[in-house]
Amino acid sequence: MSTLVLTLITGVGLGALYFLVASGLSLIYGLMHVLNFAHGAFLTLSAFLGWVVAQALGTDSWWSFLASIAVGAIVGAAFATLTELVLIRPLYERHIEQVLVTVGLSFAAVALFEGIWGTDPITVSGPSWLKQTTDVLGARIPNTYWVLMIAAALVLLALVLFLQKTRYGMVIRAGVENRSMVTALGIDVRRSFTVVFAIGGAAAGIGGVLAMHYSTFVSAHLGSTLLIFAFIVTVVGGLGSLTGAAVASVLVAVLQQFANFYLGGTGDFIVVILLAVVLLVRPSGLLGRKA
Amino acid sequence: MTAVRRFVPAMVGAALIVFMAILPLLNLSLPGILPTPTYLPGTLALLSLCMVFAALALSYNLLLGSGGMLSFGHALYFGAGAYGLGIALEHFGVPLWPGVFIALLGGMVIALATGAVAMRVSGIPFAMVTLAFAQAGSVLVRRNSEVTGGEEGLSLDTDQVPDMLVGVVNTRNLYWFALAVLVVVYLVTLWVDTSRLGHLVRATRENEQRVRVLGLQPYRAKLIVFVIAAVLASLAGVAYMLLQSGTVPRAVSADLTITILVMVVLGGVGFRWGAIVGGVLYTLLDQRLTVLAGSEAIAGLPGVLRIPLSEPLFLLGVLFILVVMFLPGGIAGTIDAWVRRRRGERARVALRGIDDAESQAETRADSDREVRV
C-alpha cells in the first residue's frame, strides 16, 4: 500500500515538473506554431543562475530558495524574450526555419554552458526540509515533490487567470483561433507572441530551478533531458492545449513511475509506447481537437 | 548544346569520384585543412569520416529535401547500422558481410515500425514523435550494457572482419569502402529522386490533399522513402562502425540528429551535392575547430572570448543560426540561385517550398488547434 501511494504521489510530483516545462512549449506552439527546441536551454540557464544566486545567499535558507526561483523565472523570461525578438521575429511565418534557429540556439547554448560551468554535473543543495520526507498513509514522500506540485499548481492557476481575465490573454486566445482576423482588427499579434514567449520562458525557468533540486544536480544537459519528456507530454495532451498538457503530464509521469517501480525500470519505454498508442488511436492527442 | 550540358554534371561527378579514388596514392598537402599529406592514414581517416557523414547527410536530404519530412530521429537508424553490425559480429558470430546484411535489415525493420507510427502525424508533431522514438533507442542502448556496452560503447569484433579492413595500415581500404558507400548512397538517392516514387513524394510534400484526390497513396510513398532513407543511414552507420572500430551511444543520440540537420541545412536542403558539401564541411570544421580550441592563441585570450571560442559546438551552432537567417538556401541553394539568376531562371529554395506547403496545410487545419483552458 505504502509503495503504491509513494509511486502515485512521486508520479504526480514528476508530472508537475513536466507540466512546468511543457506548458510553455504548448502555449508557444499553440499560438505561433513554433516548436521551440531552445526551451531546454532556457531551463538550463535559469537553473545555473538560480544556483549561482542560491550559492551567494546561502543554500539552506528559504529566502535564497525563493530568490533562486524568482531569478530563474526572470532569467527564463528574459532569455525567451530575447530569443523571440532576435531569432524568431525576423523569420515571421517561416515555421521550419524558426524551428531550425531554435535548434541552433540550443546547440550553441549547451556548448556555451559547458564552457562556463564545465561538463561535470554540479551537486546542489537547498533548504534542509527539502531533503526530509513527509508521511502520507505510511509512505515517506520526499518533500521536493510537494514543492513541485505547489509550483505547478500556481503556474497553472496564473496561466488560466492570465488567459481568461486579461486583455493579453484574450488576444492570445483569439490569435490562436484566427490570427489573420485578430491582425485585421488592428491588434498587434506580434507583441502577444513576445509575451507568450516570455511567459513560457518564465515557466521553464521555474521548472529549471526546481528540476535542479529534484535531481540534486545541475549540468548543461539538464534541459535537453526534460525537453524530450515535455515534447511527449505536449503531443500526448494535444498540441496547444494547456489542459491537455496538464493531464498528459500527470498521466505520463505516473505511468513512468509505476513502470520504474514495478516493471524493472522500464519507465522511459512505457512513455514512448504510450506515445505510440496515443498516436495510433488519436493522432491529435488526448485533448486536441479531431483533425 | 543542351545535350552536352545535361552530361556535364555526370562527367564532373565521375571525374571527382576517380580523383577521390586515387587520392590515397597521391602525395598532396592542404595545410590547415588536412592534418597530413593525403597518402597517410591520418588524412585518409578524416576524409573517410567526412564521406560517411556526407552519406548520412544525403540520406537525410532524401527525407527532408525530397519528402519534406523534418525528422529528429534519423540518428536512430544510423545507430541501428553501427550497433546492428557490432552486435551481429560479437553476439551472433557471423562473418562481416552477413553481419552488414543483418544490420541493414535491422535498420529497415526499426524504420518500418517507427515510421508507420510517426507518420500518423505530419509537420512539426512528426518531428517531436521521431525525436521521442530516437530517444527511446538511445535509452535502450545505454541501459542494455551487456549487449551494447552501455556508456562505454561497443567495439568492433575484429575476428570476424577480413584483415584488409582492420588496422591503421589498412586505412586506405577503409577509405575506399567509405567512398563506395557514399557513391552507393548517392546513386540510390538519385534513383529515388528521379523515379515515380520520388515524383509522388515531392508532390505529396507540396500538396498532400491533391495527391490523395488523384487516387494515389501519399502515406505509402512517404513511408517507403522514409524507410529507404533509414536503410541508407544504416549503411552509413555500418561504415562508421568499421571506420572507427567501434561506436558510442552518441551515434543514436538526439545530438547526432541535430548534427545531421545542421550538415544538410548548411549545405542546402534539397540539393544532393549540397548535402555532400555540408557533411564534409561540417566534419572538417568540427575537427579543425577542436584543434583551434586547444591552441595557444585561444588559451591566451580573456575569458569572455576564450570560453565561446574554445567550444566548437558553440561556433557551429552560431554558424548554423546565421546560415538559416541569412542564407536560407544554404551553400548549394545560394550558389544555385546565383547561377540561375545569371541565366535568368527562377531560383529554387527547397526549405521555403517545404515551409509554404506546411503553412498551406496549416491554414487548412487551422481549426484543429487552440489554446483551451
Side-chain angles (χ1 to χ4, degrees), chain A residues 184-208:
Chain A
L185 288 172
I187 297 168
D188 188 4
V189 192
R190 291 208 286 179
R191 195 184 297 161
S192 59
F193 286 174
T194 317
V195 173
V196 162
F197 246 85
I199 292 172
I206 296 171

Side-chain angles (χ1 to χ4, degrees), chain A residues 177 240 269 280 287 289, chain B residues 120 140 320 367 369-370 372:
Chain A
E177 285 285 345
F269 272 105
L280 287 172
L287 293 182
R289 225 190 250 171
Chain B
R120 298 279 292 174
L140 211 122
F320 179 68
S367 55
R369 257 183 302 266
E370 56 179 338
R372 264 166 305 149

Side-chain angles (χ1 to χ4, degrees), chain A residues 33 35 94-97 100 103 108 111 115 160 176-177 228 231 234 239-240 243 265 269 279-280 287 289, chain B residues 120-121 124-125 128-129 131 135 140 143 258 311 314 320 352 354-356 362 367 369-373:
Chain A
H33 301 171
L35 174 60
R94 296 262 156 225
H95 300 311
I96 288 188
E97 275 137 305
L100 294 181
V103 165
V160 169
V176 172
E177 285 285 345
I228 305 220
F231 280 171
T234 25
L239 279 161
T243 332
F269 272 105
L279 283 175
L280 287 172
L287 293 182
R289 225 190 250 171
Chain B
R120 298 279 292 174
V121 286
I124 286 172
M128 298 160 93
V129 173
L131 177 68
Q135 200 56 27
L140 211 122
R143 288 265 173 82
I258 291 176
E311 292 291 334
F314 175 78
F320 179 68
R352 291 266 151 104
I354 297 168
D355 222 341
D356 290 339
E362 249 163 31
S367 55
R369 257 183 302 266
E370 56 179 338
V371 174
R372 264 166 305 149
V373 189

